[in-house]
Amino acid sequence: MSSSRTVRFLPSGVVVEAADGDNLLETALGAHAHVDAVCGGAGVCGRCVVFVREGEVECEDAAVRPDSPDPQARLACRCAVRGDVVVELPSRAAPDAAGPRPARPPSARLR
């Protein structure tokens, strides 16, 4: 039987319960926390960056962001909850930790 863990998302302060081993991205999306995951959690886009401020997560090697100035940056899709955790989400207004998004050509914009 899995142990229940508490995951708190900053800056909103939303707190949810997760089972030990639950995927961090799925936990965030289930809590309606905005995490940019354009590949749907397949681990190929590198955009679901979060900052694990407290607690224990188990991450694949690919989850660590060596290019980030913040050593707590992780790819949420490649991490599992292993204890009570505090996760900071990047500001939507801040530059994306994975780099700027390319502009859509005018023909691709919604009308």
Side-chain angles (χ1 to χ4, degrees), residues 31-49:
H32 303 287
H34 176 76
V35 178
D36 190 5
V38 297
C39 71
V44 296
C45 72
R47 300 185 66 85
C48 61
V49 175

Side-chain angles (χ1 to χ4, degrees), residues 3-102:
S3 299
S4 181
R5 308 297 187 180
T6 300
V7 181
R8 182 167 46 118
F9 294 97
L10 301 177
S12 69
V14 170
V15 177
V16 296
E17 294 292 316
D20 188 58
D22 278 359
N23 179 275
L24 188 56
L25 175 61
E26 291 174 10
T27 301
L29 296 176
H32 303 287
H34 176 76
V35 178
D36 190 5
V38 297
C39 71
V44 296
C45 72
R47 300 185 66 85
C48 61
V49 175
V50 298
F51 305 98
V52 180
R53 298 300 185 204
E54 296 177 21
E56 187 179 349
V57 294
E58 181 180 336
C59 300
E60 297 174 12
D61 289 342
V64 178
R65 294 298 306 240
D67 59 329
S68 174
D70 190 321
Q72 296 172 324
R74 300 288 182 268
L75 296 178
C77 71
R78 308 277 47 125
C79 295
V81 176
R82 293 294 181 202
D84 294 340
V85 183
V86 176
V87 177
E88 183 177 351
L89 304 176
S91 168
R92 290 187 200 185
D96 191 323
R101 293 182 187 172

